[in-house]
Amino acid sequence: MRVDPPAFADAQTLTRQLGDCGYIASDEVGLALFLAYQLQKPLLVEGPPGVGKTELAKAAAATLEQPLIRLQCYEGVDEAKALYEWKYGKQLLYTQILKQQIDQVLGKSEGLGASMEKLHAMDDIFFSERFVEPRPLLKALQQPEGAVLLIDEIDKSDEEFEALLLEILSDYQVSIPEIGTVAAQQVPVVILTSNQTRELSDALRRRCLHLYIPFPGMQQEITILRSRIPDISSLLAQQMAAFVERLRQLELGKQPAISETIDWGRALLLLHADSLDRDTVLSTLNVLLKHRADVDDVAAQLPQLLGSEP
Amino acid sequence: MRFVAALRNAGLPVSSDETLVAAQSINLVGYDNRGQLKAALSMVLAKTESDKQLFDLCFERFYGNRTAHQESPDGSDKPDPNQDRASAELCPQLQHLFNASPDELALAVQQAGTRAGLDSIRLFTQKGVFRRKILEQLEWPALQQMMLETARAAPGGSPTLSSLQDFAARLQGQAREHVDQQYALLGEARSANMRDQMLMQTRINRLQPRQKAHCRQLVARIAKNLIKHFKRRKRYFRRGMLDLHASLRHNVATDGHLFRLYWRRKHRDRPRLFIVCDVSGSVRQYAEVMLLFVASMQELLPRARCYAFSDRLEDISPVLKVRGDTENAIATTLQRVGRGSTDYGAALDSFAELAGPALNRNSVIIVLGDARNNHTDPAVKTFQRCADKAGRSYWLNPEGRYAWNSGDSVMAQYQPHCDAVYEVGTLAQLEHFCEDLLRKTL
């Protein structure tokens, strides 16, 4: 029987607990994690890049005090990289070392049939759990204390890989043909993230809870800034949040994410800036914006963007 | 759960497993906090952004009304002598309703609605019928009779009469509200389905301007389905013969014993579409929809080129790559090109000149036009040459087959050189053609 950690008693407590771990969550995010944990369902998190989808998994692991196991998806990721692999080298080495033993064992037996029988018996030794190299998915199932399994950027993987995930996500088990089915010792908390570069299949969506994290509101961004950069002055945090908020209204090639705002804050702190003025912003814009065209656009509109500051 | 039924009606694919999970999550979250309940249900039931918007709408419609009632101050507590007198004369059921709080009244109307079969509402024209049926369930005729008698007894009007009238109005209002709400939940989606089917069958040039937006959504949806279907299909054909080189190379570790086999992959080039559209007045609307379709399928057919002509031919391929308002871009381009009178001969000649060198057996030529040539030279020889060079060629004619070859239409001359000829007058026919095309070429 599983004992719920106190943080997971209800959604509000969880949200607060996440905050203590340095992740400022909206109520919705806390609720989603709470439901995912209680219902033992994977949580699919979508949203623009840099809103803290991956951070959520890290904070969840910290709150639960469980290890975080991460599988980074990419094009061509397959069973051998995600699930398990046979330790081929070890198998080879063992057969070489044990060659003499094998000779002895086989030497005494008479006839082809008897040797075959003995070989069959040995076959199972070499395809046992000792020779399985667990990859993230299998590793997450094997944790006796449970784990937080993060399957990052699932949209980067191929469609076939999604199908492979279905067994794990719905039943928390893996079938290895030579060994059998490995069931989870403790159901892990599974968090999948996606940047929506391609549509995920309905089968996958159906098995998950779905959470969409948008860019944060201004107040929330200020809170995040102050929690991540404790030395920042409240005036600067406020100005920065307002400025970034206005930037996100513009049509940019890439919108500034929270992580970039935080980087920008750190950069400003290094430059000993107490408030935003035209020159500081101009010289640090490249921290916030990652396209040449965007920087030029914003630089041209800078007076308007800064002008209406309170 | 009627809420799930309403969601399915609105087009959200909710599985029974998800319904179970939804019930569990309600158990966890409870009914107390409305915002939290909504967020939880939205996570469990709506799995994409567009689904979430639909969900929000349904949720507000379904649960919105009830909270409104709870918040409204309950003014019927004060006893009013006139009301008492009025209620004393009513039959028991009406008496009960008369003294009911707004919430109880709403509940009674809801139950009457279920008895009257309101769940099957489909069209907005049915609203009146259902309103009457609900009122009949609630002893409406008796109430009217009563009002008539009271009015006759005191021709100058009496407090009893006015409170009765007041009650009748309340009852009517409640019934109307309930029917409207149920129609919005259940009927609207159903009649939208019906409208979709009608649109699919309507000839494209008869579409009203106000139906255009809807038609565009429909095109996008059909394209999305086709993409989904054919993306999967492609992979079946891939495996070819045993690749001995690769197999040996990869099995060096096992002393060249072939533990793992590698196969050659058959490489199938994607087809390259060359779309030639007649965009003179009579065919332009068809061309617009056709190009919209091709633009929506960029994912499958990324290298399509398209040409538009009336009296002269122009390469308008860039228009397919326009992000955002593709429809407008297509419309303006076609309008610009489509001013002259049709000349198929000249158009085909310049097509052969522009695209001729690029044609090979991977190319697919699609001509969209009514083949009405204003009695000029049809340049059949040029068309034949292009069609021979290309792997496939199709002719789409928006006119009904009965009209082909009548008047100045020269369909019969082109037909022998095409792999197939389609009549593409409606969206349904266009979808049929696209499915055929993808099946044969991908």
Side-chain angles (χ1 to χ4, degrees), chain A residues 11-12 28 31-32 34-35 38-39 41 46 88 159-160 196 202 205-212, chain B residues 15 17-18 21 24-25 28-29 36 39-40 43-44 46-49 52 228 231-232 235 253-254:
Chain A
Q12 282 86 359
E28 212 186 359
L31 179 67
F34 170 70
L35 283 180
Q38 291 290 352
L39 299 174
K41 282 256 167 193
E46 287 188 313
Y88 178 71
E159 253 169 85
E160 289 86 351
Q196 294 164 301
D202 289 344
R205 284 182 188 277
R206 201 160 53 70
R207 281 172 177 77
C208 300
L209 302 181
H210 182 266
L211 171 70
Y212 182 82
Chain B
S15 70
D17 176 49
E18 283 167 325
V21 176
Q24 283 171 3
S25 59
L28 278 173
V29 176
Q36 212 172 39
M43 274 166 217
V44 176
K47 301 291 171 75
T48 61
E49 255 182 283
K52 284 209 192 281
K228 222 189 216 165
K231 242 176 133 177
R232 292 217 140 269
R235 305 184 190 238
T254 50

Side-chain angles (χ1 to χ4, degrees), chain B residues 214-229:
Chain B
H214 198 77
C215 168
R216 191 179 55 220
Q217 286 170 6
L218 212 57
V219 166
R221 209 163 59 209
I222 295 171
K224 208 171 143 194
N225 280 343
L226 284 177
I227 288 173
K228 222 189 216 165
H229 187 67

Side-chain angles (χ1 to χ4, degrees), chain A residues 289-302:
Chain A
L289 300 170
K290 303 292 164 73
H291 286 293
R292 189 70 234 161
D294 287 352
V295 176
D296 291 344
D297 273 1
V298 172
Q301 296 181 41
L302 208 51

Side-chain angles (χ1 to χ4, degrees), chain A residues 1-302:
Chain A
M1 193 56 209
R2 192 178 61 172
V3 185
D4 289 352
F8 282 78
D10 64 67
Q12 282 86 359
T13 327
L14 179 59
T15 312
R16 224 171 22 246
Q17 204 81 25
L18 283 174
D20 293 345
C21 290
Y23 185 87
I24 311 295
S26 64
D27 291 341
E28 212 186 359
V29 174
L31 179 67
L33 194 58
F34 170 70
L35 283 180
Y37 181 80
Q38 291 290 352
L39 299 174
Q40 305 198 340
K41 282 256 167 193
L43 177 64
L44 171 64
V45 189
E46 287 188 313
V51 288
K53 300 187 288 290
T54 309
E55 283 303 310
L56 172 63
K58 290 184 191 164
T63 314
L64 275 169
E65 295 174 350
Q66 283 178 348
L68 175 74
I69 296 173
R70 179 171 176 169
L71 170 67
Q72 176 71 45
C73 293
Y74 50 89
E75 211 174 306
V77 64
D78 61 358
E79 216 166 303
K81 299 277 163 36
L83 257 182
Y84 68 92
E85 210 169 14
W86 289 107
K87 293 178 182 167
Y88 178 71
K90 194 173 167 187
Q91 282 172 336
L92 208 62
L93 196 66
Y94 274 45
T95 40
Q96 289 300 320
I97 295 172
L98 298 177
K99 213 172 188 174
Q100 295 208 317
Q101 252 87 29
I102 294 173
D103 276 347
Q104 281 171 15
V105 173
L106 289 186
K108 284 174 198 154
S109 59
E110 287 163 18
L112 197 61
S115 309
M116 257 325 217
E117 278 306 313
K118 284 185 177 162
L119 264 183
H120 272 308
M122 245 180 312
D123 182 23
D124 288 346
I125 301 175
F126 284 107
F127 284 98
S128 62
E129 264 176 66
R130 241 171 277 175
F131 291 97
V132 172
E133 173 83 61
R135 297 290 182 193
L137 295 183
L138 186 59
K139 212 191 264 175
L141 297 185
Q142 285 173 339
Q143 299 296 322
E145 301 290 317
V148 176
L149 172 63
L150 167 64
I151 303 177
D152 214 2
E153 307 194 28
I154 174 82
D155 52 332
K156 299 263 194 322
S157 70
D158 307 320
E159 253 169 85
E160 289 86 351
F161 182 68
E162 258 179 53
L164 174 80
L165 280 180
L166 295 181
E167 187 190 2
I168 297 170
L169 294 185
S170 54
D171 297 334
Y172 297 104
Q173 63 176 35
V174 173
S175 303
I176 302 176
E178 290 88 348
I179 295 177
T181 310
V182 179
Q185 303 202 7
Q186 183 73 260
V187 173
V189 178
V190 183
I191 297 180
L192 301 102
T193 73
S194 156
N195 282 334
Q196 294 164 301
T197 50
R198 81 177 163 83
E199 278 287 307
L200 300 176
S201 71
D202 289 344
L204 184 74
R205 284 182 188 277
R206 201 160 53 70
R207 281 172 177 77
C208 300
L209 302 181
H210 182 266
L211 171 70
Y212 182 82
I213 306 185
F215 281 121
M218 211 172 104
Q219 271 316 316
Q220 205 192 346
E221 189 146 27
I222 294 174
T223 326
I224 294 174
L225 269 175
R226 303 202 60 180
S227 110
R228 278 306 173 93
I229 317 172
D231 298 337
I232 202 165
S233 73
S234 64
L235 174 69
L236 183 60
Q238 199 151 11
Q239 283 183 334
M240 281 172 60
F243 182 74
V244 172
E245 174 112 340
R246 255 174 249 143
L247 276 190
R248 287 191 190 129
Q249 314 276 330
L250 300 179
E251 279 198 16
L252 295 174
K254 185 195 168 306
Q255 300 206 315
I258 303 179
S259 51
E260 281 157 335
T261 317
I262 294 173
D263 286 346
W264 191 40
R266 293 211 174 103
L268 288 177
L269 211 61
L270 276 178
L271 295 173
H272 302 293
D274 298 327
S275 66
L276 290 185
D277 58 58
R278 198 169 169 280
D279 293 335
T280 5
V281 174
L282 210 54
S283 57
T284 52
L285 258 188
N286 51 358
V287 181
L288 211 51
L289 300 170
K290 303 292 164 73
H291 286 293
R292 189 70 234 161
D294 287 352
V295 176
D296 291 344
D297 273 1
V298 172
Q301 296 181 41
L302 208 51

